[in-house]
Amino acid sequence: MKHNNENDTRYSYRMLLMAFVVVASVGFVTTFLASCARMGQPDGGWFDEVPPRVVGASPAERSTDVTSRRIDIRFSEYIKVDNATENVVICPPQIEQPEIKTVGKSIRIDLKDSLKPNTTYTVDFSDAISDNNEGNAMGNYTYVFSTGKNIDTLEVSGYVLNAEDLEPVKGSLVGLYDNLSDTAFTTLPMLRIGRTDGSGHFRIRGIAPGKYRVFSLIDSDGDFRLSQRGEQLGFSADIITPTSKPDTYQDTTWVDSLHIADIKQMPYTHFLPDDICLLSFVQMQTERYLIKTERNLPERMMVYFSTPSDTLPLFRALNYDDKDAYVIETSAKKDTITYWLRDTTLVNQDTLRVEMTYTMTDTLGALVSQTDTVEFLPKIAYEKRLKKRMDDIEKWEKSAEKARKKGREPAPHPDLKFLSPKVAVPDKMSPDKNIMLTFETPLESIDTTAIHLYSKIDTLWYRSPVEISDSGLPPRTYVIRGEWRPGTEYSLEIDSAAFRNIYGHVSKEIKQGVKIGEDKSYASLFVEMKGIRNDTADVIVEMLDKNGNCAYRTVALRDTAEFYYISPGEYFLRAVVDANRNGVWDTGEYSEQRQAEEVYYMPDAVECKANWDHTAVFDVSRTPRFLQKPRSLVKQKEEKKQKRKDQNAERAKKLKIPYDREAVNKLF
C-alpha cells in the first residue's frame, strides 16, 4: 500500500506540473497575441485629435419658453473662443454688445438686450470654438433656443461680393427683413443676421416661414441698419421665401490619398435659397464740405472737397495782388483744385491770405454758399529756403574754383534750373501706342518746331511726321504721336528750350530712341460677348494681367470686343456694363433703388500667342457671379479651415507600431 501511495503522489505531481505548463503556455501565447494586436504606446503618449463636444447647456439646447438671458454651455474639455466679437453672431441682433467669455470647460453668454417674446434665438459660433491644448476646432456649432413654444429652423445662404471687382467681402452683416418696404433698411434693425467669412459666404439660421428681403451692410455704427452714406451696402429687389427639402450628399472615405475605401450617400436637409448673391458698394458722397487746404510746395495752393462741383471756389486775395496770379488745375474727379502761383514774388511770400467762397451742404441737405478766410503757409519758410540757397551757392563757388584750377568745366550754377520731363516709352512699343511726357510744373509755351521725329530705313534716317497734344490728358501730361510702322526704329529729338514753364525755366535737349515691334511679335483677340444687352449701354471689355491690372481696354461693338497688338501671354477678361456711357464704373444709389454698374469676369484665362488671331466667347450668364472671378486674382483669400493633422498615424508609422484611431480617440 505504501508503494502504491508513493506512485499516486508522484503521478499527481506530474499531472499538476503538466497542467501548469499548459496554462503557462496558453497564457504566454495569449499575451503574445494580445501584444501583437494591441497598439504600441509611443513615448510621451498619443496626441489629442478629438475636438471638444457639448455635454450640456443651461438652458438646454433647443429649449422653449426661455426667460433667462444667461446661457452656459458645457464642453467635454477646456476650450477657447477665437475673437468672439467678430466670429460669434447672435440672432436677433443685439443692440447692446453681449458678454461672451470662457470659464474652464464652459462658455458663458450674458445677453444685455431684453428677450423678445415668441422668438427663436441663435448663437452661431461658426468654427471659433477649439480645445485649449491642441487647438482642435469644433466645426460649425450653433446654439438655439426660443422664448416661445416653437423653434424656427429654416436657413438661407449665399455670398456678398464687391460690386466693382467681385472681390469677396469679409465681415459684412447680411440681414433679413419681413417688412418688404424700401424704407425698412434705413429705419429698422435687421430681423435675422449672418456674417460673411473670407470667401464672402454667409448663412442665416433660425428663420420662420414667410417672405423676406435680404441686405448686406458694413455696419460702422452698430445699429444694424443703413444710417450713414459711407456704410458699404448691398441689396436685392427680389423677395425670397425660405424652404427646405430632403437631399443627399456623398461621404467618401479613403484608404490613402489615392484609393477610395467607400462612398456613402448621406441624407441631409437642404435649405433654400443657398445661392443668394449681393453686390456691395459705397454710395457716392453727396454731402459737400471742405476737407482741407494746404501749401505743400511754396509754388502751389491746394484745396480738397468731399465731392466735386460744377463751379470753382472764388478766391479774393487779402494780402497780395491776385490778378492773373494762378494756373488752375483740377483732379480727374474735380474734387481737388490746385492753384499754381505764377509770380515768384508770391512763391517767396510765406503767408498768403485769401477769402474763399464755395458751395457746401447745409444741415437740411441743400447747397449753400460759404465764405471762409484761409491762410496758406508753406511747409518750409522762405528764410530757411533762402539760407539753403545761399549755402548751395557758396558750396558751388568753392567747387567751381577747384574745377577751374584743374582745367575742368564747373557744374551748372544752382540757380540754373532746367525742366526734366518724364519720358514714358517702353523698350519695344506697339504701333498703337504713343510717347508720353510729364512735367512737374505747368508749361507756359511749347515750340513745336523744335520737336523732330526720324525713322530709320535701311541705314539712313528720314524725317517723319510728329505732333504733340495734351487734349483729354491729366494736367502737365502731353502725348507725342507719330506714324509708327511695325518693325521700324525711330529717334525722337527735341531741341533745348522747346518747353518753357511759368517760371521761365526751359528744357534741355532730349533724345529718345523708339523701337516699334513687328506685327508677328503680337497677338490679336476677338471676344464675342454673350448675355449682355448693349443697345442702351456701352460694354467695356478689359484684358487683365496676372496681377489684375488692366493691360488693354476697348468698347465692344456689335457684341464683339477687338484687341490688336497684344503682347503674348496669359490674360483674364473683365466686362463693365457702362450704363451711362461715361467710360468709367459708377457706384449705386439706394434711395433710387439703383444698383452699381454690372461687372463680370471670365473665369478661365485666355492664352495669347504671338502671330496668332485668337477668339474667345465671354458668356456672362454661364457662371454664377460668386464663382466668376479667377482665384488667382482674388485678394481676399478664403480662410484655411483648420485641419487636424493625423499626428498619431504619422508617429505610429515612424515607430513601426500598430495604430487604431478609434481606440486612441476613446482615450480622450
Side-chain angles (χ1 to χ4, degrees):
M1 292 293 295
K2 183 177 180 181
H3 175 74
N4 290 336
N5 288 339
E6 289 178 355
N7 290 338
D8 290 341
T9 301
R10 290 173 180 173
Y11 177 78
S12 298
Y13 282 147
R14 285 199 300 271
M15 294 300 293
L16 185 62
L17 180 59
M18 289 177 64
F20 175 79
V21 171
V22 170
V23 171
S25 300
V26 171
F28 174 80
V29 172
T30 303
T31 303
F32 176 78
L33 293 175
S35 65
C36 290
R38 188 172 65 242
M39 299 173 302
Q41 175 71 14
D43 294 339
W46 298 105
F47 294 104
D48 178 8
E49 295 181 351
V50 181
R53 64 183 185 278
V54 177
V55 297
S58 177
E61 287 198 61
R62 305 186 68 79
S63 293
T64 56
D65 295 320
V66 172
T67 58
S68 173
R69 288 187 290 172
R70 169 165 289 182
I71 303 167
D72 287 303
I73 307 173
R74 300 183 298 279
F75 295 85
S76 58
E77 55 185 312
Y78 291 97
I79 51 90
K80 57 186 177 183
V81 179
D82 179 37
N83 199 351
T85 303
E86 291 188 7
N87 293 329
V88 180
V89 178
I90 299 177
C91 282
Q94 305 292 291
I95 301 299
E96 187 174 353
Q97 188 70 27
E99 183 179 348
I100 303 174
K101 61 182 179 181
T102 58
V103 183
K105 296 182 180 181
S106 300
I107 294 177
R108 171 163 290 178
I109 304 167
D110 285 313
L111 302 177
K112 305 300 182 181
D113 291 359
S114 299
L115 297 179
K116 298 180 179 180
N118 300 314
T119 301
T120 296
Y121 278 75
T122 59
V123 184
D124 188 350
F125 290 93
S126 184
D127 58 356
I129 300 174
S130 60
D131 64 38
N132 205 37
N133 293 324
E134 300 293 342
N136 297 311
M138 184 176 176
N140 292 331
Y141 171 61
T142 302
Y143 172 86
V144 183
F145 70 89
S146 176
T147 58
K149 300 294 183 183
N150 301 306
I151 290 181
D152 301 320
T153 59
L154 293 175
E155 301 178 6
V156 297
S157 58
Y159 294 84
V160 178
L161 309 175
N162 188 302
E164 185 175 7
D165 57 8
L166 303 193
E167 187 75 12
V169 179
K170 179 182 178 181
S172 175
L173 295 179
V174 185
L176 299 181
Y177 285 90
D178 57 4
N179 183 329
L180 305 181
S181 70
D182 294 340
T183 58
F185 188 32
T186 59
T187 57
L188 302 173
M190 295 171 171
L191 182 66
R192 311 294 303 183
I193 62 170
R195 193 185 296 273
T196 57
D197 60 17
S199 63
H201 185 261
F202 69 88
R203 185 182 305 277
I204 305 174
R205 296 181 168 94
I207 305 172
K211 295 182 178 181
Y212 300 90
R213 287 188 67 185
V214 58
F215 300 84
S216 69
L217 180 68
I218 302 292
D219 189 18
S220 60
D221 54 5
D223 60 358
F224 299 98
R225 63 184 179 90
L226 178 62
S227 56
Q228 300 183 34
R229 288 194 67 83
E231 292 178 322
Q232 188 172 335
L233 71 123
F235 71 96
S236 173
D238 297 336
I239 296 174
I240 64 170
T241 303
T243 60
S244 66
K245 66 176 183 178
D247 210 336
T248 60
Y249 70 92
Q250 288 187 349
D251 184 20
T252 305
T253 55
W254 297 79
V255 176
D256 52 39
S257 60
L258 298 176
H259 301 90
I260 296 175
D262 191 15
I263 301 177
K264 296 180 180 179
Q265 296 294 324
M266 305 297 292
Y268 78 104
T269 301
H270 190 162
F271 294 101
L272 298 169
D274 60 356
D275 58 353
I276 299 169
C277 187
L278 297 176
L279 299 173
S280 184
F281 59 89
V282 177
Q283 300 177 98
M284 182 177 290
Q285 178 66 258
T286 58
E287 183 180 355
R288 179 173 168 80
Y289 55 89
L290 177 64
I291 297 176
K292 68 175 181 177
T293 60
E294 68 176 3
R295 191 177 168 191
N296 55 359
L297 295 176
E299 57 266 27
R300 70 184 184 188
M301 303 183 294
M302 304 188 71
V303 182
Y304 301 84
F305 290 95
S306 60
T307 60
S309 175
D310 294 334
T311 58
L312 293 175
L314 178 63
F315 271 32
R316 187 173 72 86
L318 299 179
N319 65 339
Y320 63 94
D321 182 7
D322 61 355
K323 183 180 179 181
D324 197 28
Y326 317 116
V327 172
I328 302 176
E329 294 176 353
T330 58
S331 64
K333 294 183 178 181
K334 297 184 178 180
D335 53 4
T336 303
I337 302 99
T338 303
Y339 296 82
W340 289 91
L341 300 169
R342 287 180 172 274
D343 191 344
T344 54
T345 302
L346 297 181
V347 173
N348 295 334
Q349 184 173 328
D350 278 346
T351 303
L352 298 177
R353 189 178 300 109
V354 302
E355 185 181 81
M356 184 172 67
T357 302
Y358 58 94
T359 56
M360 61 169 289
T361 307
D362 65 10
T363 55
L364 299 178
L367 283 176
V368 296
S369 179
Q370 171 72 22
T371 299
D372 294 334
T373 298
V374 181
E375 286 189 349
F376 290 92
L377 306 174
K379 289 185 176 180
I380 303 176
Y382 174 67
E383 185 177 342
K384 290 184 177 180
R385 302 200 307 271
L386 179 60
K387 183 179 184 305
K388 183 179 184 304
R389 174 174 169 265
M390 300 307 294
D391 290 343
D392 291 342
I393 292 175
E394 184 179 350
K395 290 179 182 178
W396 175 83
E397 289 175 344
K398 292 180 180 179
S399 63
E401 182 64 25
K402 290 181 180 179
R404 292 190 189 97
K405 289 181 178 180
K406 294 181 179 181
R408 296 200 305 262
E409 186 71 22
H413 192 280
D415 285 347
L416 187 59
K417 297 180 180 179
F418 291 94
L419 303 183
S420 299
K422 179 181 178 182
V423 183
V425 55
D427 293 336
K428 185 176 288 186
M429 194 169 74
S430 60
D432 60 337
K433 296 294 188 290
N434 291 292
I435 301 172
M436 308 298 291
L437 296 182
T438 304
F439 293 84
E440 294 183 351
T441 53
L443 296 185
E444 185 71 45
S445 63
I446 301 175
D447 182 4
T448 56
T449 64
I451 302 175
H452 316 284
L453 184 66
Y454 301 94
S455 60
K456 187 177 183 181
I457 301 177
D458 294 330
T459 59
L460 301 177
W461 291 91
Y462 296 88
R463 185 181 292 274
S464 291
V466 63
E467 64 177 29
I468 185 169
S469 170
D470 63 347
S471 177
L473 295 174
R476 292 170 278 114
T477 300
Y478 298 82
V479 59
I480 294 180
R481 295 184 176 91
E483 294 180 355
W484 313 115
R485 294 190 295 272
T488 303
E489 184 178 350
Y490 292 84
S491 177
L492 174 66
E493 299 178 10
I494 302 176
D495 300 338
S496 59
F499 303 102
R500 181 182 298 273
N501 73 359
I502 59 176
Y503 306 114
H505 302 147
V506 297
S507 58
K508 291 182 178 180
E509 182 182 17
I510 299 173
K511 189 171 183 178
Q512 176 68 54
V514 184
K515 292 183 179 180
I516 307 300
E518 298 181 358
D519 280 340
K520 64 181 181 181
S521 63
Y522 298 100
S524 298
L525 176 65
F526 305 95
V527 183
E528 181 184 356
M529 301 300 302
K530 288 188 175 182
I532 299 179
R533 292 188 59 184
N534 63 351
D535 51 346
T536 59
D538 286 343
V539 179
I540 301 171
V541 184
E542 297 174 339
M543 295 181 66
L544 310 179
D545 62 21
K546 63 180 180 179
N547 297 318
N549 300 316
C550 180
Y552 304 94
R553 190 174 191 263
T554 191
V555 176
L557 300 175
R558 297 180 296 277
D559 299 323
T560 301
E562 300 180 355
F563 296 93
Y564 300 95
Y565 297 112
I566 302 169
S567 296
E570 190 175 76
Y571 296 91
F572 299 96
L573 297 179
R574 175 178 182 260
V576 178
V577 181
D578 185 15
N580 58 5
R581 292 177 168 167
N582 66 347
V584 296
W585 176 86
D586 289 298
T587 189
E589 175 59 48
Y590 182 72
S591 64
E592 301 174 6
Q593 291 294 287
R594 175 168 51 84
Q595 297 280 2
E597 289 183 331
E598 296 174 324
V599 172
Y600 300 93
Y601 282 80
M602 184 171 167
D604 302 321
V606 176
E607 180 73 24
C608 294
K609 298 179 180 179
N611 204 27
W612 277 68
D613 291 337
H614 301 269
T615 60
V617 177
F618 190 171
D619 187 349
V620 302
S621 60
R622 187 182 66 178
T623 305
R625 199 78 68 91
F626 57 85
L627 295 176
Q628 285 188 4
K629 189 167 187 179
R631 184 175 295 273
S632 62
L633 298 185
V634 175
K635 298 180 179 63
Q636 175 59 61
K637 300 302 182 184
E638 182 178 359
E639 293 104 334
K640 294 181 180 179
K641 301 297 181 183
Q642 184 179 9
K643 293 183 179 179
R644 285 184 294 142
K645 291 183 178 179
D646 205 342
Q647 299 178 24
N648 290 326
E650 294 176 0
R651 192 172 185 188
K653 184 177 180 180
K654 289 181 180 179
L655 296 175
K656 299 180 180 180
I657 59 177
Y659 172 60
D660 185 337
R661 186 190 309 279
E662 293 184 4
V664 170
N665 288 346
K666 288 179 181 179
L667 299 175
F668 301 98

